[in-house]
């Protein structure tokens, strides 16, 4: 085959032409032969079996039935006429229905002749009906040459309106196979083909479009999914290898005084095994010659902050500065206060920089950063501003990374001549398998253990009409000296309405929990940062027992004495958000509670979410459910990783294949990093082409 054959503009394909080419491009993004070849059917109609009428199920599947039309009539209705045929076989009767094209059908239909009808059945009362069936006289059907499994291609209304029906698309694909003589270059190595018993590329493409039978279809799907995931992994892994070779890291060779002193004298608790392991992993990175780019995952409350601190001490011991970025002012402030307290007996200079840092302070801070007097800078996005220059930034830590865009993260790279080591921390649990494909080019560390003595949060679901009981429970808890969060949703599109909900809620709580017995804090997005801090501070100090808030408190906030989390309109929150919110309690020694309040009207998904929350505290389990409910689209990083652009594989459903693909990509690159071996020539060729075509999206970090 001419190597550029697949690049041929689709207009040149026989039966397409410029007009249809325009529509194909606009509707399906098909510009070249290759695009058409990779337009995979959504589903297939199995025309290998025939159903009896009494076997029909209201499943919506397409089936074929053999029988006769015994009667034809017009039915008039308000909304228009329809033509109804009574269709029978030896087991029963059903209806065939047409809403258009009546005359043509009436004229062409033969009464009492055996037909094969084919289409989707639905049930009305006790009668099955098949609208607009495909039909063929049985005699013709038996003579015809048939594709056993008929492909159904993705389509749009416009496409069918312009006459590009499924049949037409299918014809185009057939034409493409004709012109190519059905030969497509192999893109996998003989080793992999052998080991996984994969069918060849040519055979796979043929069978994905025109499967000979179910088994070959399944093998074609497997082969193409594998291939797709394999090349995504090839890209991620080779990128990582390249980074490790090319990007020199700042060597942190010493484990010096600060680290040791802190570890021996000031560590407020014993580290968990997981924390120790992760610190070791990070130390290995920092001590090597390569720049670290590591993702630290750990469920809410697993103790990431102390890990961050110890890494920053390593940086300082090696003569570098460190910074810690958090997504909100509240969180940055809390980190700053927490770190300052941990470092109280040590000679470390630490400062806070946020949007509300005063100009005079800011100027001072800039100077200290530039002349190296400041060791640690904690802050919000403000840290990223160009004005903020370090003398020698060695380590940048980003907390709760899903709040930061990729572009922002990359800004950190340019804060130093040599890029600083980067540690990204997240409590949004990403299913392990997904993390590895999403962040295939990052190293991943995992804190999979909570500090000892934590009691799992007891979670219940209560309907709004039980509010009084819930409030009674709150009063009991407050009497025991505990504190309580009450959280309201805040969704961007309806901010005004949410604000009203919050205020209404606040008023009603203020009525039920009157002063001076009860003190209430309120924090929401429309408050000035200073006011937020003030209210937060009161709650942290225990001056108020109730914190009414929007999701601004979602991440990071740490008040160990708070033991109850009430989430209002819980059905409006996503699973990961609910889990984050719940993570605000259960931080002290007391038994903690999370109460999910909702109305009675709940969608199926909402029910699943609530049920998941009440049945488990495991962030990873929750993440898996979340992934299944929402698909990968909403998960962080998916846009950049190209996993959404997958044509045939599905990272959730095909996770097993993904792992196989990753394994083989890793093996291959390990044994032949530059793809020089003869046997890997097909991989090299395909890979080079994909990169050139940007078929695989660029993943930047
Ligand atoms: P997250 O991972 O959610 O950021 P934090 O770092 O805020 O968690 O830690 C949660 C709480 O657990 C803090 O109060 C912290 O002091 C405490 N903590 C962390 N590690 C340990 C440990 N090994 N033993 C006991 N308490 C710990
Ligand atoms: Mg944290």
């Amino acid at each position: 085959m001419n190597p550029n054959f697949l690049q041929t503009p689709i207009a040149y394909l026989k039966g397409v032409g410029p007009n249809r080419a325009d529509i194909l491009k606009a509707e399906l993004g098909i510009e070249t032969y290759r695009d058409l070849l990779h337009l995979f059917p959504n589903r297939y109609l199995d025309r290998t079996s025939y159903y009896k009428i009494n076997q029909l199920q209201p499943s919506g599947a397409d089936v074929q039935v053999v029988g006769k039309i015994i009667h034809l009539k017009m039915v008039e209705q308000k909304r228009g006429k329809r033509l109804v045929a009574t269709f029978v076989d030896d087991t029963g009767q059903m209806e065939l229905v047409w809403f258009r094209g009546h005359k043509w059908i009436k004229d062409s239909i033969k009464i009492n002749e055996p037909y094969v009808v084919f289409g989707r059945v639905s049930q009305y009362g006790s009668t099955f009906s098949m609208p607009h069936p495909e039909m063929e006289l049985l005699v013709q059907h038996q003579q015809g040459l048939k594709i056993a499994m008929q492909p159904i291609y993705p389509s749009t209304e416009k496409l069918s309106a312009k006459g590009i029906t499924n049949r037409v698309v299918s014809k185009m694909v057939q034409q493409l196979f004709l012109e190519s003589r059905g030969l497509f270059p192999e893109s996998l190595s003989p080793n992999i083909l052998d080991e996984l018993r994969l069918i060849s590329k040519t055979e796979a493409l043929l069978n994905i479009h025109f499967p000979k039978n179910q088994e070959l279809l399944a093998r074609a799907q497997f082969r193409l999914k594998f291939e797709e995931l394999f090349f995504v992994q090839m890209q991620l892994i080779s990128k990582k290898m390249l980074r490790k070779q090319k990007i020199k890291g700042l060597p942190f060779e010493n484990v010096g005084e600060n680290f040791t002193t802190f570890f021996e004298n000031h560590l407020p608790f014993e580290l968990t095994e997981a924390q120790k392991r992760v610190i070791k992993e990070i130390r290995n990175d920092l001590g090597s010659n390569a720049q670290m780019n590591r993702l630290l995952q750990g469920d809410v409350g697993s103790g990431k902050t102390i890990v961050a601190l110890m890494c920053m001490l390593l940086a300082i011991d090696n003569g570098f500065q460190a910074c810690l970025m958090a997504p909100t002012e509240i969180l940055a402030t809390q980190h700053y206060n927490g770190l300052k307290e941990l470092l109280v007996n040590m000679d470390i200079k630490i400062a806070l920089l946020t949007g509300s840092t005063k100009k005079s302070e800011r100027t001072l801070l800039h100077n200290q950063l530039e002349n190296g007097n400041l060791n640690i800078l904690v802050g919000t996005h403000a840290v990223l501003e160009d004005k903020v220059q370090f003398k020698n930034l060695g380590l940048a830590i980003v907390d709760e990374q899903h709040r930061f865009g990729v572009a922002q993260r990359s800004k950190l790279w340019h804060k130093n001549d040599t890029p600083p080591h980067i540690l990204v921390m997240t409590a949004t649990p990403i299913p392990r398998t997904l993390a590895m494909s999403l962040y295939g080019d990052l190293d991943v560390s995992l804190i999979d253990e909570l500090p000892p003595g934590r009691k799992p949060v007891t979670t219940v679901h209560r309907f709004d009409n039980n509010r009084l009981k819930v409030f009674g429970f709150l009063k009991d808890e407050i009497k025991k000296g505990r504190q309580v969060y009450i959280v309201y949703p805040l969704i961007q599109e309806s901010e005004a309405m949410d604000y009203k909900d919050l205020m209404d809620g606040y008023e009603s709580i203020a009525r039920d929990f009157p002063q001076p017995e009860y003190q209430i804090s309120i924090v929401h997005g429309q408050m000035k940062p200073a006011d937020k801090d003030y209210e937060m501070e009161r709650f942290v100090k225990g001056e108020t027992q109730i914190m009414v808030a929007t999701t601004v408190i979602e991440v990071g906030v740490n008040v160990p004495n708070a033991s109850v989390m009430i989430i209002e309109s819980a059905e409006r929150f996503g699973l990961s958000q609910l889990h984050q919110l719940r993570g605000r309690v259960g931080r002290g020694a007391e038994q903690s509670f999370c109460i999910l309040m909702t109305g009675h009207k709940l969608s199926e998904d909402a029910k699943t979410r609530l049920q998941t929350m009440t049945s488990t505290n495991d962030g990873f389990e929750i993440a898996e459910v979340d992934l299944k409910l929402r698909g990968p689209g909403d998960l962080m990083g998916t846009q950049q990783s190209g996993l959404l652009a997958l044509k045939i594989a599905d990272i959730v459903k095909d996770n097993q294949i993904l792992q196989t693909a990753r394994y083989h990509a890793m093996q291959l690159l390990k044994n032949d990093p530059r793809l020089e071996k003869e046997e890997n020539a097909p991989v090299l060729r395909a890979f080079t082409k994909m990169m050139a075509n940007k078929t695989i999206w660029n993943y930047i970090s």
Side-chain angles (χ1 to χ4, degrees):
M1 189 202 292
N2 171 344
N4 293 323
F5 171 77
L6 287 176
Q7 305 285 49
T8 316
I10 196 67
Y12 292 99
L13 189 72
K14 196 172 157 220
V16 178
N19 288 340
R20 282 183 163 180
D22 285 347
I23 304 167
L24 284 172
K25 181 178 170 194
E27 295 299 302
L28 296 172
I30 294 176
E31 295 185 59
T32 62
Y33 281 22
R34 175 192 316 270
D35 295 337
L36 181 63
L37 188 65
H38 290 106
L39 177 74
F40 297 137
N42 285 334
R43 59 196 177 96
Y44 302 83
L45 307 179
D46 186 353
R47 305 200 67 158
T48 52
S49 34
Y50 299 85
Y51 284 76
K52 292 289 183 190
I53 289 174
N54 69 356
Q55 293 173 326
L56 294 178
Q57 297 286 335
S59 66
D62 290 85
V63 294
Q64 55 188 357
V65 186
V66 184
K68 294 175 191 170
I69 293 175
I70 54 167
H71 182 68
L72 205 54
K73 67 175 177 212
M74 271 307 223
V75 179
E76 298 250 10
Q77 265 191 331
K78 264 189 234 131
R79 271 180 293 146
K81 287 186 212 169
R82 64 197 154 103
L83 181 64
V84 179
T86 308
F87 189 73
V88 300
D89 69 4
D90 51 3
T91 70
Q93 76 175 51
M94 64 185 284
E95 287 180 348
L96 310 176
V97 184
W98 293 267
F99 300 97
R100 329 174 271 282
H102 299 157
K103 178 162 167 30
W104 183 80
I105 290 156
K106 255 181 31 209
D107 293 349
S108 61
I109 267 178
K110 298 194 166 65
I111 301 284
N112 280 326
E113 294 247 2
Y115 272 99
V116 180
V117 299
F118 181 77
R120 188 169 293 193
V121 283
S122 34
Q123 194 175 14
Y124 294 101
S126 58
T127 315
F128 282 98
S129 117
M130 187 185 280
H132 291 258
E134 273 182 40
M135 1 195 351
E136 206 173 13
L137 284 166
L138 184 62
V139 270
Q140 280 168 7
H141 183 82
Q142 282 159 342
Q143 287 160 359
L145 233 181
K146 238 155 267 86
I147 312 158
M149 312 263 295
Q150 187 188 332
I152 304 292
Y153 289 95
S155 185
T156 65
E157 258 175 53
K158 260 226 182 88
L159 275 176
S160 6
K162 301 263 178 179
I164 307 185
T165 57
N166 191 59
R167 207 190 179 93
V168 171
V169 175
S170 180
K171 279 259 164 61
M172 289 176 183
V173 179
Q174 282 177 40
Q175 180 62 28
L176 199 157
F177 272 88
L178 264 176
E179 289 188 21
S180 67
R181 300 200 188 83
L183 285 177
F184 299 101
E186 184 51 67
S187 53
L188 295 174
S189 71
N191 290 354
I192 293 178
L193 289 174
D194 258 16
E195 198 177 328
L196 295 171
R197 293 189 52 248
L198 299 176
I199 56 177
S200 72
K201 175 100 174 191
T202 292
E203 217 183 329
L205 285 171
L206 184 64
N207 277 286
I208 201 78
H209 288 290
F210 309 108
K212 293 206 186 74
N213 54 46
Q214 296 273 6
E215 196 215 330
L216 272 168
L217 172 61
R219 295 190 66 183
Q221 285 169 329
F222 184 87
R223 142 93 215 207
L224 293 170
K225 286 174 177 182
F226 173 87
E227 173 177 348
E228 185 168 46
L229 294 167
F230 174 81
F231 281 108
V232 172
Q233 290 302 320
M234 283 288 289
Q235 195 209 16
L236 288 171
I237 297 165
S238 60
K239 204 154 196 168
K240 176 154 137 188
M241 288 169 63
L242 215 66
R243 173 166 53 77
K244 294 214 159 161
Q245 275 166 18
K246 282 238 179 92
I247 304 178
K248 277 256 175 314
L250 302 163
F252 286 12
E253 279 144 3
N254 313 319
V255 176
E257 209 189 308
N258 287 307
F259 186 91
T260 316
T261 310
F262 182 80
F263 187 76
E264 286 174 0
N265 304 328
H266 304 304
L267 202 57
F269 36 69
E270 174 135 13
L271 295 176
T272 62
E273 287 309 311
Q275 284 169 322
K276 285 185 204 159
R277 172 171 41 79
V278 164
I279 290 174
K280 206 173 277 168
E281 284 166 4
I282 296 172
R283 257 169 67 176
N284 276 343
D285 279 7
L286 298 176
S288 78
N289 291 322
Q291 186 235 8
M292 174 175 80
N293 223 352
R294 189 170 275 277
L295 177 74
L296 172 56
Q297 277 199 78
D299 210 344
V300 237
S302 61
K304 293 183 291 296
T305 316
I306 200 85
V307 172
L309 173 60
M310 299 195 60
C311 296
M312 292 196 283
L313 293 178
L314 272 178
I316 297 167
D317 279 339
N318 285 276
F320 293 99
Q321 293 166 302
C323 78
L324 171 60
M325 264 187 358
T328 65
E329 199 150 334
I330 291 182
L331 193 50
T333 310
Q334 185 161 319
H335 269 318
Y336 170 70
N337 291 331
L339 293 177
K340 219 169 55 176
E341 203 177 306
L342 286 165
L343 293 172
V344 66
N345 291 315
M346 294 185 59
D347 186 22
I348 303 268
K349 299 262 168 4
I350 176 169
L352 174 70
L353 175 67
T354 69
S356 47
T357 306
K358 288 200 199 71
K359 185 130 187 284
S360 54
E361 257 176 85
R362 201 177 272 248
T363 315
L364 187 71
L365 218 144
H366 287 173
N367 285 335
Q368 289 178 325
L369 276 178
E370 280 167 48
N371 64 27
N373 281 341
L374 201 59
N375 303 114
I376 297 178
L377 180 66
V378 179
T380 54
H381 295 83
V383 171
L384 294 173
E385 285 170 20
D386 291 333
K387 281 174 294 186
V388 181
Q389 294 290 334
F390 292 81
K391 182 170 177 224
N392 55 359
L393 180 64
L395 170 67
I397 302 181
V398 184
D399 195 15
E400 310 296 354
Q401 93 105 30
H402 62 299
R403 299 291 181 99
F404 285 99
V406 171
Q408 290 171 323
R409 226 192 307 153
S410 77
K411 267 196 162 182
L412 284 171
W413 284 56
H414 306 292
K415 286 273 171 193
N416 214 42
D417 296 339
T418 309
H421 296 291
I422 294 186
L423 180 67
V424 167
M425 306 197 294
T426 178
T428 303
I430 314 162
R432 284 168 188 77
T433 47
L434 186 59
M436 120 196 137
S437 46
L438 233 41
Y439 294 103
D441 73 331
L442 292 185
D443 296 298
V444 179
S445 283
L446 182 65
I447 306 186
D448 51 4
E449 178 189 358
L450 293 180
R454 292 274 171 79
K455 294 197 182 84
V457 179
T458 302
T459 305
V460 294
H461 170 209
R462 293 286 178 265
F463 290 109
D464 289 338
N465 51 3
N466 287 319
R467 189 173 304 276
L468 280 183
K469 255 198 192 149
V470 171
F471 281 3
F473 173 73
L474 288 192
K475 287 182 177 164
D476 291 345
E477 286 295 300
I478 292 172
K479 215 170 270 160
K480 290 188 214 157
R482 309 285 136 66
Q483 288 166 284
V484 173
Y485 294 101
I486 303 179
V487 175
Y488 288 82
L490 185 60
I491 299 167
Q492 229 70 67
E493 304 95 67
S494 56
E495 209 166 309
M497 199 181 92
D498 287 327
Y499 182 67
K500 188 175 170 304
D501 285 354
L502 174 76
M503 283 314 176
D504 289 352
Y506 175 73
E507 276 164 28
S508 102
I509 290 159
R511 251 179 276 126
D512 278 286
F513 295 85
Q515 288 187 328
E517 196 182 350
Y518 300 99
Q519 301 293 331
I520 307 176
S521 287
I522 179 163
V523 170
H524 57 79
Q526 303 189 355
M527 281 163 75
K528 285 205 200 81
D531 297 340
K532 267 192 231 173
D533 288 350
Y534 174 75
E535 289 286 312
M536 207 52 227
E537 197 58 17
R538 292 209 306 150
F539 188 68
V540 172
K541 285 190 191 142
E543 292 171 9
T544 59
Q545 301 99 338
I546 302 176
M547 163 62 78
V548 175
T550 55
T551 45
V552 289
I553 62 147
E554 179 187 340
V555 286
V557 178
N558 188 19
V559 182
N561 189 49
S563 65
V564 186
M565 165 66 61
I566 311 259
I567 304 176
E568 295 284 349
S569 305
E571 76 276 11
R572 285 174 59 190
F573 291 86
L575 262 178
S576 77
Q577 244 184 336
L578 290 172
H579 181 64
Q580 286 292 326
L581 285 169
R582 177 168 61 184
R584 297 309 108 215
V585 296
R587 299 184 154 239
E590 309 303 333
Q591 175 62 53
S592 292
F593 302 90
C594 174
I595 305 175
L596 308 169
M597 305 292 301
T598 74
H600 279 281
K601 228 174 139 187
L602 294 171
S603 69
E604 282 310 306
D605 277 11
K607 282 183 200 158
T608 308
R609 290 198 295 270
L610 295 165
Q611 202 265 326
T612 307
M613 285 298 293
T614 51
S615 64
T616 180
N617 271 289
D618 180 340
F620 285 102
E621 211 174 296
I622 290 168
E624 298 280 358
V625 178
D626 199 26
L627 190 59
K628 280 187 189 122
L629 287 180
R630 294 193 305 168
D634 287 331
L635 278 173
M636 60 168 164
T638 42
Q639 266 86 358
Q640 287 86 26
S641 71
L643 286 170
L644 285 186
L646 292 175
K647 288 218 152 61
I648 184 164
D650 175 322
I651 39 173
V652 180
K653 292 192 195 112
D654 301 320
N655 203 274
Q656 207 59 43
I657 308 179
L658 187 148
Q659 294 190 49
T660 314
R662 180 167 173 82
Y663 170 80
H664 282 276
M666 228 135 71
Q667 287 302 311
L668 193 142
L669 283 170
K670 206 166 87 191
N671 297 328
D672 186 13
R674 320 182 113 229
L675 303 178
E676 287 161 335
K677 292 190 179 156
E678 178 58 32
E679 69 200 44
N680 292 327
V683 178
L684 177 63
R685 197 178 42 229
F687 194 42
T688 315
K689 221 172 205 148
M690 277 179 217
M691 299 296 269
N693 291 340
K694 290 257 188 304
T695 310
I696 297 181
W697 293 8
N698 251 338
Y699 176 71
I700 49 157
S701 85

